[in-house]
């Protein structure tokens, strides 16, 4: 039977037709309103009183002509045959309502699929960035956007894209005018912390809500090559910070401790940055030498050019990376137990891959390629 929700759909459909007469190309059912349906229901009950609940075509036609007035015989016949899909020669009220609802739902789906979005008018937004925006991400608690640009300017925005705060990244290794930020990753399990990569061969960890505002709390220094891309993932028991560099390498820091507010526990007296905050300096060679108990490093050189993007896919336990080279354009890095060198599987794309994304539900990688193609990779 028809519910109140179904009735509202029919009323909305009636409003769309604006009471237009049932003629020409307009279907008979498109002109029905809720009053018409109630009258037709009563007619069905009157006709079938004391006998079977089903009515014949002649009875259906007579009821429609009485309630709806002048109607086309062809349209009545067409509607009746569509309801009587089994060809029994009789229909009942439930069959009639089911057909109407099915038609209206199908029409709504088609309209939704073809309707052009009505975008709001563009609103100019001031930006603190003077160079290319290298990364955009979202922070939680409170929810807000964070952006970072090449010259090291960080911008924070509320969910209505209103600027709430700005910060200039500083490096202890190069002058501010020579600083070139390449990527950023939000450390979601560490409260209000982000990782920032720069061409000064370091990865900086910034605390966005430290005691003195926003400050650098950790620097991973002495990387072999300048990092270009960052990605961070965490679970309740482990976390991974991976990066790709200008030499085609992919490196991942594997952490087996997630209950600490810091990725790297200080092993010596920390230095101090320009704001007086403690900064933990973490030399890359000491990580490799095992000076940090809860950190392990795995790596591979799967690309012959710059590693444009990296991503850890936990569903596959793979590190995916890409490069704008015709060989080894897309590489899957697999961690192996007790080994520091990852096993790789590579795919070639003409002119290489600029970017990619991975859908864990469909198990598909989509790549945006230099040859202006979008390719889908099914990881069966």
């Amino acid at each position: 039977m028809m519910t109140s929700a179904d009735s509202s759909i029919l009323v909305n459909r009636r409003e769309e037709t604006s009471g237009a007469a049932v003629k020409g190309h307009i279907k008979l059912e498109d002109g029905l309103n809720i009053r018409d349906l109630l009258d037709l229901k009563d007619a069905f009950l009157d006709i079938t009183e004391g006998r079977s609940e089903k009515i014949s075509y002649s009875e259906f036609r007579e009821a429609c002509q009485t309630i709806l007035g002048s109607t086309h015989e062809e349209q009545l016949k067409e509607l009746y045959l569509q309801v009587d899909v089994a060809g029994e020669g009789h229909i009942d009220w439930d069959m009639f309502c089911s057909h109407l609802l099915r038609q209206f739902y199908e029409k709504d789906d088609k309209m939704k699929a073809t309707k052009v979005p009505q975008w709001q008018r563009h609103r100019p937004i001031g930006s603190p960035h003077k160079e290319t925006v290298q990364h955009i991400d979202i922070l939680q608690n409170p929810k807000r956007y964070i952006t970072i640009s090449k010259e090291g300017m960080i911008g924070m925005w509320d969910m209505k894209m209103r600027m709430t705060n700005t910060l200039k990244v500083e490096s202890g290794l190069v002058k501010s005018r020579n600083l070139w930020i390449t990527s950023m990753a939000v450390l979601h399990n560490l409260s209000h912390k982000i990782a920032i990569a720069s061409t000064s061969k370091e990865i900086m960890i910034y605390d966005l809500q430290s005691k003195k505002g926003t400050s650098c709390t950790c620097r991973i220094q002495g990387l072999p090559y300048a990092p270009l891309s960052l990605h961070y993932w965490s679970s309740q028991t482990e976390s991974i910070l991976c990066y790709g560099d200008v030499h085609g390498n992919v490196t991942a820091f594997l952490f087996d401790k997630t209950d600490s507010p810091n990725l790297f526990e200080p092993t010596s007296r920390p230095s101090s940055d320009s704001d007086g905050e403690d900064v933990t300096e973490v030399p890359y060679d000491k990580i490799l030498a095992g000076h940090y108990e809860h950190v392990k490093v795995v790596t591979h050189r799967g690309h012959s050019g710059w590693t444009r993007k990296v991503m850890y896919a936990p569903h596959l336990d793979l590190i995916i990376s890409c490069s704008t080279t015709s060989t080894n354009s897309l590489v899957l890095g697999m961690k192996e137990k007790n080994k520091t060198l990852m096993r790789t599987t590579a795919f070639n794309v003409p002119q290489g891959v600029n970017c990619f994304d991975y859908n864990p539900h469909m198990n598909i990688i989509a790549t945006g390629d230099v040859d202006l193609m979008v390719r889908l990779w099914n990881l069966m």
Side-chain angles (χ1 to χ4, degrees), residues 173-190:
L173 301 178
V174 297
K175 294 181 179 179
S176 179
R177 65 174 181 271
N178 296 326
L179 182 65
W180 185 339
I181 299 301
T182 56
S183 186
M184 176 184 70
V186 175
L187 311 183
H188 296 284
N189 67 318
L190 303 180

Side-chain angles (χ1 to χ4, degrees), residues 104-115:
F104 294 154
Y105 280 128
E106 289 177 358
K107 192 168 184 179
D108 281 340
D109 290 341
K110 290 180 181 178
M111 289 180 63
K112 291 175 183 177
T114 58
K115 190 175 181 181

Side-chain angles (χ1 to χ4, degrees), residues 336-373:
E336 296 190 288
K337 190 174 182 180
N338 299 324
K339 292 185 178 181
T340 58
L341 191 63
M342 286 186 274
R343 183 163 51 91
T344 60
T345 299
F347 303 92
N348 301 332
V349 175
Q351 301 180 48
V353 175
N354 258 322
C355 59
F356 67 87
D357 203 357
Y358 170 65
N359 185 312
H361 303 293
M362 301 179 68
N363 200 28
I364 284 177
I365 299 175
T367 58
D369 305 329
V370 181
D371 61 1
L372 308 183
M373 298 286 287

Side-chain angles (χ1 to χ4, degrees), residues 17-62:
T17 60
S18 303
V22 181
K23 61 182 180 180
H25 65 279
I26 302 177
K27 288 186 176 182
L28 175 64
E29 54 265 41
D30 286 340
L32 299 176
N33 60 26
I34 194 65
R35 183 72 259 172
D36 296 334
L37 291 170
L38 292 174
D39 290 342
L40 282 172
K41 179 182 179 181
D42 291 338
F44 268 78
L45 295 176
D46 291 341
I47 294 172
T48 59
E49 185 177 2
R51 61 177 179 85
S52 169
E53 294 183 354
K54 294 187 177 182
I55 66 175
S56 65
Y57 170 68
S58 59
E59 293 169 327
F60 174 74
R61 178 185 60 190
E62 182 179 350

Side-chain angles (χ1 to χ4, degrees), residues 268-285:
S268 60
R269 184 177 179 180
S271 63
S272 178
D273 70 0
S274 57
D275 295 324
E277 292 284 333
D278 289 338
V279 181
T280 303
E281 293 185 353
V282 181
Y284 180 73
D285 57 355

Side-chain angles (χ1 to χ4, degrees), residues 61-317:
R61 178 185 60 190
E62 182 179 350
C64 287
Q65 290 176 340
T66 300
I67 296 169
L68 304 177
S70 177
T71 56
H72 285 261
E73 176 78 15
E74 295 82 1
Q75 288 187 325
L76 284 173
K77 187 68 174 178
E78 180 183 1
L79 177 57
Y80 187 87
L81 292 175
Q82 288 175 347
V83 177
D84 184 20
V85 292
E88 297 176 350
H90 296 84
I91 64 171
D92 59 23
W93 177 246
D94 285 346
M95 294 168 61
F96 183 71
C97 287
S98 297
H99 169 73
L100 292 183
L101 289 172
R102 185 168 59 252
Q103 292 290 312
F104 294 154
Y105 280 128
E106 289 177 358
K107 192 168 184 179
D108 281 340
D109 290 341
K110 290 180 181 178
M111 289 180 63
K112 291 175 183 177
T114 58
K115 190 175 181 181
V116 177
Q118 300 298 312
W119 304 112
Q120 293 184 355
R121 189 173 182 179
H122 290 177
R123 174 170 58 93
I125 299 175
S127 170
H129 304 297
K130 298 178 182 179
E131 294 278 358
T132 306
V133 175
Q134 303 287 51
H135 190 81
I136 302 174
D137 215 318
I138 190 166
L139 299 168
Q140 304 292 337
N141 301 321
K143 184 174 282 189
R144 59 202 190 280
Y145 297 110
I146 183 169
T147 57
I148 191 167
S149 51
K150 175 182 170 181
E151 81 276 15
M153 180 62 71
I154 294 176
M156 280 176 275
W157 319 69
D158 64 17
M159 300 310 291
K160 293 184 178 181
M161 290 304 295
R162 294 175 298 201
M163 176 67 67
T164 60
N165 195 15
T166 60
L167 164 71
K168 186 68 168 67
V169 176
E170 300 290 344
S171 172
L173 301 178
V174 297
K175 294 181 179 179
S176 179
R177 65 174 181 271
N178 296 326
L179 182 65
W180 185 339
I181 299 301
T182 56
S183 186
M184 176 184 70
V186 175
L187 311 183
H188 296 284
N189 67 318
L190 303 180
S191 181
H192 309 292
K193 290 188 177 180
I194 58 174
I196 301 171
S198 78
T199 55
S200 55
K201 298 182 181 180
E202 65 177 343
I203 296 174
M204 298 168 280
I205 308 297
Y206 267 75
D207 188 344
L208 301 178
Q209 289 191 353
S210 64
K211 294 180 180 179
K212 293 190 176 181
T214 303
S215 63
C216 180
T217 61
C218 176
R219 290 193 183 101
I220 308 171
Q221 297 180 334
L223 301 177
Y225 303 96
L228 279 180
S229 52
L230 283 174
H231 186 255
Y232 182 76
W233 169 87
S234 68
S235 69
Q236 293 183 345
T237 58
E238 61 179 331
S239 60
I240 297 176
L241 176 63
C242 53
Y243 74 91
D245 63 34
V246 296
H247 200 60
N249 300 307
V250 172
T251 303
F253 300 108
L254 314 179
F255 303 91
D256 60 10
K257 184 179 179 181
T258 59
D259 57 354
S260 172
N262 300 308
L263 290 175
F264 299 90
E265 297 293 342
T267 57
S268 60
R269 184 177 179 180
S271 63
S272 178
D273 70 0
S274 57
D275 295 324
E277 292 284 333
D278 289 338
V279 181
T280 303
E281 293 185 353
V282 181
Y284 180 73
D285 57 355
K286 287 190 176 182
I287 303 176
L288 295 179
H291 285 223
Y292 296 88
E293 181 181 359
H294 300 287
V295 186
K296 188 175 80 169
V297 180
V298 293
T299 186
H300 74 74
R301 190 191 174 190
H303 303 285
S304 56
W306 291 5
T307 305
R308 297 286 179 172
K309 181 176 179 178
V310 292
M311 174 189 289
Y312 175 67
H315 296 77
L316 303 172
D317 196 23

